[in-house]
Structure formats: structure tokens, C-alpha cells
Amino acid sequence: MSQNHHNHNHENCGCGQEHEDENCHCGQEHHHEHEHEHSHEDCHCGQDHHHDHEHSHDHHSHVEAAAPVLCAACDLPMDACVCGLENGNRKKIYIIENLDCANCAAKMEAKIAQLDGISSATLTFATKKLRITAPNPEQYLDKIQEICSSIESQAQVREFHEGERETTAHSQEQKKEQKRDLAVILTGAALFVIGEILGHISSVPVPVSSVIFLAAYLILGGEVLLTAGKNILKGQIFDENFLMSIATIGAVFTGQFAEAVGVMLFYRVGEFFEHVAVERSRSQIMEAVDLRPEVVSLIHNGEIQTIPAGEAKPGDILLVHPGDRIPLDGIVVEGESRLDTSPITGEPVPVKVAVDSPVTSGCLNTSGLLKIRVEKPLSESMVTRILNSVENAAASKPKIDRFITRFARIYTPIVVFLALGTAIIPSLITGDWHHWVYTALTFLVISCPCALVLSVPLAFFSGIGAGSRKGILFKGGIAIEAMSGVKAVVMDKTGTITKGNFVLQKAVPTGELTADTLLSLCASVEQNSTHPIAVSIVAAAMEKGLELESPLSLEEIPGHGIRAHLGAGVVLCGNRKLMDRFSVSLKQTPQEVYGSEVFVAVNGVFEGYLVISDTLKPDAKNAIRRLKQLRVTTAMLTGDALDSANAVAREIGIDQVHAKLLPEDKLSRLADIRKNSGAVMFVGDGINDAPVLAGADVGAAMGSGADAAIEAADVVFMTSAMEAIPQSISIARVTRRIAMQNVVFALVIKVAFMILGLAGFASMWLAVFADTGVAMLCILNSIRILYGVYMRK
């Protein structure tokens, strides 16, 4: 089984198996580069064979199809495309500054999407990013600015630059604006209190308190009135500024000066805290995933220079002090330390790194001084990939979000006309205009839809952020929504349940030899091979410190194994057919083992066997147990033989096993499981898994897998850990539950206050709570997802 005979046709494969035989144990994946004709009906090699092997190497067109698709404009792979060209269109991202209203954001999105030539437009309130797709997106900048200004006069549209972060100047401007708002609120509140006090002093003329109330009203509501007037001229009638203006002006005309000022005061206070809460939650989510460094310490000509992280290039040597984060993906060239990888992988146990160890950006260097060689620039490093994934995911809106946005468009006008009917019809019947006009005004305040429009996207954005903190990248709210309904999890075996490497599980002597002697003999025969099984045998012998002997002679027997002359005599290493060929009587042969067996005989006497298998991931058993606690059915689809697959399933507790499957068989089995159990999530990592990933209700790919699988998936587990599967389902379920809580809570409160208003028990003071108060509670409820709620069922 030497390197020179490990060729494509397997005539001299040292695994000792004949590849047209039904019991291949070679441990190799037989789905590429094999110029042979054979059938793997009962292969136990531990690898998926993926398709019928009765073909020649020329027929492996599917491997060629996996080559990256190049962009027609920039000639780069699509996942590295710099021009954003897609079906003749280009994607462009803009930032909408001073965007304060979720309902206004929904209106902007709808109007921009209606522009001629724009194939899609998505405005994410949580990130203030507008993504448009068009042949020439730059030409729409002026129109987009016009639309945004017509809806929110202070809105400013600017181009988003890749890799940018919020500037200090922008942050300072936000703080100044908050201080101005706070000053207005405090001044208005002070005048309101003075007016209330003077109003209760009989010696003070009524006009005095009325003037003070009017001054307070103009200070608090001047901006609201002005904005409402501008929007009416632009055709924007049913917004919160218009509703609050009509409600409070109506209160003034009905003689309720104090109430008009009080409602405007509470509205401004509620808006202030709502904006603060939104900004805080947005920053918490983005800070949790934005681990990009601003600067790095570059070692150049023996000196340390501080340069912007974006200027570091592959090959540069960077210095990382204890307590600092790994700035860019790279390789350790000097030093030893332990890394806290939890920000990227969620794994709490620090990982030891030394020279030649790969390091991932975003991980925390806990102890030693390290020098690393940059392998990827900032734009391609893990920290940027995670951030981009979160921001792109936020733009993918779930069905419930789109429904609420559409609902809000018809909800507000309906409530306004209801308020108009409430003011006129009962008043004509009863003659009590004052009561019914006042009731109608409370309707107007209650009808503001911001709590509804804001609560759902913020909940899903929080879910995306919570997942990213555990190394789970959801590709949008749609993926979370779909995953929340998953009833069955179907997994590939190799690379998903197992690590994809081969390890000697045990050496079982059946004669006079010890286990170590048996292993030493076999390793001596296999030591010159690069075959995975041979490598695992030799590695196990070296780990035990066993001495290996060079064979005096070595004969390859195609499809059977190896016959070698050692000091102990003639040694046979191979499969059952090798033993039969030399009339070796087998005894104590393995029963239902998971893995491949290599039989060993010395001088015609069977001395034992070695069992080599792919290694199960250490968290596999706990992950399956957790899935069962979530009442999720588990199944495994694999190209392996049934005995090998059943051994794995028994070990970790999988419910269903479907073995000996071709890729097209996997799709049909997936359909059967969906029919019997409900929505299905498929987890895989290979190129051959891409069709099944795309065909499942939710496709999840291991981060260590093939790029084609990651591209086809709805969710990517960067840790490649099994525990990420139940974690992702928990996050999805909690996210959807909290989104529904927000919707139901907002609607119930609003309907309840409308009923109370009709019954004469609700004032405009309470109506303000039904608007801004409910919005604040929904925001706080949404950001709970970031703080460990997802670990519950």
C-alpha cells in the first residue's frame, strides 16, 4: 500500500479490499477520481458514496459543475464578486440617516420599490440600511432622497462604504440631538407644571394659565405640528405627526388646554425613550457581532507600527498582546497562548495555540504574546463575514414582518375613519359633541402603528444577533421563521455527525500476540502509505511509541491487501478475501462494529484485527438528546452500509436511519420524512449535499464544509458543532414567540383602549401609553433574546 501504487484505479489499494466487491472497507470516498467500474452495495468505509459507481472517470461531470461560477463583469467567483452584478442588475447599499420611525421606514421602502427599473428594495429599520437592486442603482439617489425627505423631512441618504463603522462624529451628533430633545421636554414639562399650579389658584386669571399652556404646547409640539404640515403638503397624511397634531389641536378647541399639553408632553417623552431604546438595542446587537479591529500592530523592519486594520495585507506579521482580540485570520509564527474562541464559536473552553496554529479573527488572546502572519485581509476575515451575514440577514424579512407592514398601511386609515365616524354619528344622535369628539381624538392617538411595525423586525434582528454570538449565522428572518416550525432534523453522517477523520478504535488480538504487537506489525506493513486508514494505523502506533520494522519484501495483492516479510514471518494485512486466499481460518471476527476492519495473520495463523472508523463528534449524543427534548424527530441519510449507519445511530440515539443512498435518493427520503413528520431541516457539509440543502424546508451547513453547501444553506454553523443544531432551533422558536407576543400585545392593548374609549373610561393620557408605551415594552421584550432566553425551549 505504498504511495506509488495508490492510484486512481485502485488496483493496488492497500486497504485490502477489492472495489468491485460488496464489502469495501477502505475508508475512502469513492465519489471522485476513480477510473473503475464497481458497485458499493455494502461498503463500510464510513464515507458517503453518493451515486452509482458503474461508470468511468469521464462521467464525473458533477465535480466539474461544482467549480465556482464567475461573474460576467469582474470575472471573480460570485461569492467574491466586487461589482454586485446579478442577472444584469447591481446591488447598492445606502444609509438613511435620521430615520426615527419604523412605520415611516416601511413607507419609504414601499415607494422606492415602485420606482421604474428597481427590481427590489429593502429598508431595514434596525440597521438603517437600504438595499436596492437595479441595472444602474446610482441614478436613483436623488429620487430616493426625495422620497425619504417627503416622509421624514430630516432624513438624509448617503452611500454605504464596505467596512465602515459608525463614526465618532455621528455618535456625537446623536447625543447632541438627544440633549436638545431632552431640553425641550424639560422646558415644556416645567411650563406644564406651572400652568397646572396656576390653574388651581383661584386668584390667578384663567387666561394666564391658558397662555402658559399654549407656550408649553408650542415648545413641545411645534416640531410635530411643523412636520405634520410639511407632510400634508407632500401627500403624507396618515402618519403619527398628523394624528398627534389633530388629536391635540382638537383638545385645545374643546377647551382641554392642560390635556393637550399633557398628551403632547407624554408623547414626546415616550418618543424620546423609544428612540433611546431602539438605538441602545441596535448598538447592543451590532457590538455583539462587530468584532472588527480599528487598528493593528504591524511588525515592520523590527519596529512596531500602528496601522488601520483595513491596510493589513496577507503576509504581514502582526503583534497580538494578551487581552487583545486576534485582529485578522492568520497563522501563529511565534509564541504560545490560549484563545477564548467563544465570541466566534460559542465554545467556553480556551484553545491552546502555538507556532503554525491557525487563528481566527475575533477570538481573545488570554495569556501569551503572539506574532501572527496575516492570511486574509479584513474584508475576508471571519469578523467581517459574521458582521456582513448579520446585516444581510436583517434585510431578509420574514412573512410575519411583511404582513404587519401591509396591515399597518390599511390599519391606520381605517382607524382614522372610525374616529371620524365616532365624532360625528353619535354626536348627531345624542347631541354630546364634546364627549364623542374627545373619544374620537383618543382613537387617533391609539391608532399610531409604530409599536406594531417596530416590534417584529427588532425581535428577528435580536434573534440573528443572538445566533451570531453562538457561531450560528442565520441568512435572514425568513430562515428563523422557517426553522421555528421544524419538526424533524435530518443529518448527513460524515462531517456532520462525525469529524471526517479516521482513527484506530481498537486492536483486538485473537491469538498469542498482544494488542500492541498486533498494531506494530500492521503499522510496519502500512507505514509507507498515504491512505487514510494506513495513516491512522501508523499514527496510533507512533502515539504509543511502538517501533516499526521495515519489511524485507512486500507484495501488493489487488483487491485483497498486502503480504509482507517481517522478522516475525509472513504477515498478511487485508480483508476477508485475503484471508480466504491464503486459507487463513478466521475466529472471533467483529460483530456489528462501526468502521472498517483490517485482518492480520502471521505465518498462516489469524492473530486478530484492527477497527478503524471516523470519529463521532463529542457533542453528538448531547445534541440528539436536546433535539428530543425539543420534540424534534431525528434522522440520518447516508451512502454508508446499513450496519455502519445503525452503529452510529445506536451510539448517539438517532431515531431513523436511511443508508446506502444516492444523492437523488436523499431527496426522496427527505420528502417521505416531511410527509410523516412535518417541516424538515437538513444538515450537511458536502458538495453532494447542496441539492438536499436547497430542497429542505431549512438547509443548514457546517462551516467546515464545502462552499457549495454553505452557499445553498439557510443557516451556517460556524462551529461545525452538533450542539449548534438544537441551539439554532431554540433561538428560532424564542424569536418567533417573542415577535408574536409583541404583535398580540400591541393589538390587544390598542383594541382594549379603543373599547374603553367608547365606554368613556379611556383618556388621551392612556392613549399615549397605548402608542409609545407599548412600543417601548415591545422593544425591551425583543432584546431579551440577546440575554440567554434562547437556551430555553
Side-chain angles (χ1 to χ4, degrees):
M1 189 173 163
S2 59
Q3 188 170 357
N4 62 356
H5 66 254
H6 185 60
N7 52 32
H8 290 307
N9 60 22
H10 283 284
E11 290 180 358
N12 298 310
C13 176
C15 70
Q17 302 302 322
E18 186 174 310
H19 288 277
E20 57 263 28
D21 180 58
E22 297 181 355
N23 296 298
C24 170
H25 304 274
C26 70
Q28 287 290 74
E29 290 191 2
H30 300 287
H31 62 284
H32 62 276
E33 298 186 10
H34 287 195
E35 298 175 357
H36 56 276
E37 295 183 1
H38 57 269
S39 173
H40 288 288
E41 294 180 3
D42 294 296
C43 176
H44 301 272
C45 68
Q47 298 295 328
D48 291 347
H49 297 288
H50 311 305
H51 58 267
D52 189 354
H53 287 270
E54 295 180 358
H55 59 264
S56 69
H57 180 65
D58 293 335
H59 294 168
H60 285 258
S61 58
H62 65 286
V63 176
E64 296 174 4
V69 178
L70 300 182
C71 172
C74 60
D75 202 33
L76 290 174
M78 291 307 294
D79 59 355
C81 175
V82 294
C83 68
L85 192 68
E86 185 178 281
N87 296 328
N89 292 325
R90 288 175 47 237
K91 294 182 179 179
K92 190 76 175 179
I93 302 178
Y94 294 102
I95 296 289
I96 313 296
E97 301 282 11
N98 306 317
L99 180 61
D100 297 323
C101 170
N103 190 37
C104 297
K107 292 179 181 178
M108 292 176 187
E109 178 184 273
K111 284 205 163 189
I112 293 170
Q114 292 173 358
L115 291 175
D116 290 338
I118 291 184
S119 59
S120 68
T122 304
L123 177 53
T124 308
F125 178 71
T127 60
K128 298 185 179 180
K129 288 185 178 179
L130 170 67
R131 289 171 168 80
I132 66 170
T133 304
N136 185 15
E138 290 83 1
Q139 71 178 15
Y140 295 95
L141 180 58
D142 292 338
K143 291 182 180 179
I144 291 172
Q145 179 64 68
E146 182 181 340
I147 290 172
C148 293
S149 298
S150 71
I151 297 173
E152 278 204 33
S153 58
Q154 72 276 22
Q156 294 293 324
V157 183
R158 65 173 178 83
E159 186 176 343
F160 171 74
H161 300 287
E162 190 67 37
E164 76 170 67
R165 62 175 75 231
E166 185 177 276
T167 62
T168 304
H170 177 70
S171 180
Q172 292 295 329
E173 183 61 33
Q174 279 192 329
K175 290 180 180 178
K176 286 181 181 178
E177 185 178 342
Q178 288 180 358
K179 287 180 179 179
R180 286 195 297 268
D181 289 342
L182 188 59
V184 168
I185 290 170
L186 292 176
T187 303
L191 291 174
F192 173 69
V193 171
I194 292 171
E196 278 287 287
I197 293 173
L198 294 178
H200 288 81
I201 299 176
S202 57
S203 59
V204 177
V206 173
V208 174
S209 60
S210 298
V211 170
I212 293 174
F213 280 133
L214 182 60
Y217 178 76
L218 292 175
I219 290 173
L220 290 167
E223 185 177 343
V224 176
L225 295 171
L226 186 62
T227 302
K230 289 180 179 178
N231 289 348
I232 289 173
L233 293 176
K234 296 173 182 177
Q236 297 291 330
I237 299 177
F238 298 118
D239 65 0
E240 58 184 356
N241 295 292
F242 168 78
L243 297 174
M244 288 304 304
S245 298
I246 293 297
T248 52
I249 289 173
V252 169
F253 277 102
T254 58
Q256 302 291 332
F257 292 100
E259 189 149 333
V261 176
V263 167
M264 189 62 78
L265 172 62
F266 281 159
Y267 171 72
R268 290 298 300 271
V269 169
E271 286 288 291
F272 176 78
F273 283 111
E274 182 183 323
H275 292 160
V276 170
V278 169
E279 289 298 327
R280 183 67 56 85
S281 62
R282 180 190 288 125
S283 64
Q284 284 178 334
I285 294 167
M286 296 313 296
E287 285 172 9
V289 296
D290 192 356
L291 303 177
R292 295 173 300 171
E294 294 187 1
V295 295
V296 295
S297 298
L298 174 69
I299 301 176
H300 183 66
N301 294 330
E303 297 182 357
I304 300 175
Q305 302 175 359
T306 300
I307 64 171
E311 294 182 6
K313 304 181 296 296
D316 287 347
I317 304 299
L318 306 181
L319 187 67
V320 184
H321 292 88
D324 291 347
R325 292 191 185 279
I326 302 297
L328 303 171
D329 294 358
I331 302 290
V332 176
V333 295
E334 185 178 318
E336 291 186 3
S337 183
R338 288 189 176 273
L339 301 185
D340 176 7
T341 63
S342 58
I344 302 298
T345 67
E347 173 58 50
V349 180
V351 176
K352 183 179 180 180
V353 293
V355 176
D356 293 333
S357 297
V359 290
T360 303
S361 54
C363 298
L364 187 66
N365 181 21
T366 62
S367 52
L369 187 68
L370 294 176
K371 291 182 181 179
I372 67 169
R373 182 179 67 249
V374 177
E375 294 292 305
K376 295 179 181 178
L378 180 62
S379 60
E380 298 175 16
S381 289
M382 181 64 71
V383 286
T384 304
R385 287 174 59 194
I386 291 176
L387 180 68
N388 290 342
S389 175
V390 171
E391 292 186 334
N392 293 335
S396 177
K397 299 182 179 181
K399 293 178 182 177
I400 185 175
D401 191 0
R402 297 196 296 269
F403 166 74
I404 290 298
T405 302
R406 292 194 299 268
F407 175 76
R409 291 176 193 160
I410 61 173
Y411 158 82
T412 305
I414 288 175
V415 173
V416 169
F417 286 117
L418 276 175
L420 188 62
T422 302
I424 297 174
I425 297 173
S427 298
L428 292 174
I429 297 173
T430 65
D432 191 355
W433 286 87
H434 181 277
H435 170 75
W436 291 109
V437 168
Y438 181 83
T439 300
L441 295 178
T442 63
F443 263 54
L444 291 177
V445 177
I446 293 169
S447 67
C448 291
C450 274
L452 279 173
V453 179
L454 174 65
S455 58
V456 173
L458 194 58
F460 278 89
F461 190 45
S462 296
I464 292 167
S468 67
R469 296 174 76 172
K470 303 295 291 182
I472 301 167
L473 302 185
F474 294 102
K475 294 185 180 179
I478 295 175
I480 292 183
E481 191 172 49
M483 185 171 283
S484 67
V486 163
K487 301 298 181 185
V489 172
V490 179
M491 295 158 279
D492 180 38
K493 182 176 73 67
T494 306
T496 301
I497 299 172
T498 65
K499 293 181 178 180
N501 61 345
F502 288 88
V503 176
L504 176 69
Q505 301 299 325
K506 58 184 176 180
V508 183
T510 57
E512 298 179 356
L513 300 181
T514 65
D516 285 351
T517 303
L518 186 71
L519 174 59
S520 178
L521 285 174
C522 195
S524 297
V525 173
E526 305 280 13
Q527 61 183 307
N528 294 319
S529 174
T530 58
H531 192 285
I533 284 185
V535 170
S536 67
I537 293 172
V538 175
M542 298 299 291
E543 186 177 343
K544 287 178 171 286
L546 303 179
E547 292 186 6
L548 303 187
E549 180 183 350
S550 296
L552 298 175
S553 64
L554 185 144
E555 178 190 1
E556 295 289 342
I557 303 175
H560 293 69
I562 303 173
R563 180 174 182 266
H565 286 268
L566 299 176
V570 179
V571 179
L572 300 174
C573 290
N575 61 6
R576 292 175 184 267
K577 294 180 73 174
L578 181 68
M579 301 296 112
D580 292 340
R581 177 166 178 166
F582 289 92
S583 302
V584 176
S585 176
L586 298 179
K587 56 184 177 180
Q588 299 182 22
T589 54
Q591 299 294 326
E592 295 186 347
V593 298
Y594 161 52
S596 304
E597 310 92 45
V598 177
F599 300 100
V600 181
V602 180
N603 294 325
V605 179
F606 179 54
E607 293 291 351
Y609 59 91
L610 308 181
V611 178
I612 295 93
S613 68
D614 194 357
T615 310
L616 290 172
K617 291 182 178 178
D619 61 341
K621 188 177 294 185
N622 286 335
I624 298 300
R625 178 178 55 81
R626 177 66 178 143
L627 285 172
K628 290 183 177 181
Q629 290 175 350
L630 294 171
R631 297 181 177 86
V632 174
T633 301
T634 57
M636 179 171 67
L637 304 183
T638 178
D640 285 2
L642 186 59
D643 289 346
S644 179
N646 280 334
V648 174
R650 283 194 301 270
E651 178 71 20
I652 64 175
I654 290 179
D655 298 322
Q656 301 177 23
V657 176
H658 303 274
K660 297 170 59 178
L661 300 179
L662 306 178
E664 55 269 28
D665 296 332
K666 290 185 178 182
L667 277 172
S668 62
R669 288 290 192 279
L670 191 77
D672 292 340
I673 295 171
R674 180 191 287 116
K675 182 178 179 180
N676 296 327
S677 301
V680 173
M681 174 169 74
F682 181 81
V683 187
D685 77 325
I687 292 176
N688 62 297
D689 293 327
V692 198
L693 285 166
D697 296 282
V698 179
M702 292 295 175
S704 59
D707 289 344
I710 293 174
E711 184 67 26
D714 302 302
V715 185
V716 180
F717 301 137
M718 299 306 300
T719 64
S720 294
M722 284 279 290
E723 66 181 359
I725 301 173
Q727 283 177 348
S728 63
I729 294 176
S730 293
I731 293 173
R733 289 183 178 180
V734 170
T735 298
R736 193 173 194 283
R737 185 164 66 241
I738 286 181
M740 290 303 298
Q741 286 174 0
N742 289 343
V743 171
V744 172
F745 177 66
L747 285 176
V748 167
I749 292 295
K750 287 181 180 291
V751 171
F753 274 73
M754 288 178 184
I755 295 173
L756 289 174
L758 286 172
F761 296 109
S763 65
M764 272 195 283
W765 306 77
L766 292 177
V768 171
F769 168 76
D771 175 33
T772 57
V774 169
M776 285 181 59
L777 292 175
C778 288
I779 292 167
L780 296 175
N781 192 37
S782 297
I783 63 175
R784 285 193 306 127
I785 304 170
L786 285 172
Y787 297 100
V789 180
Y790 53 84
M791 296 306 294
R792 294 162 46 193
K793 288 185 181 179

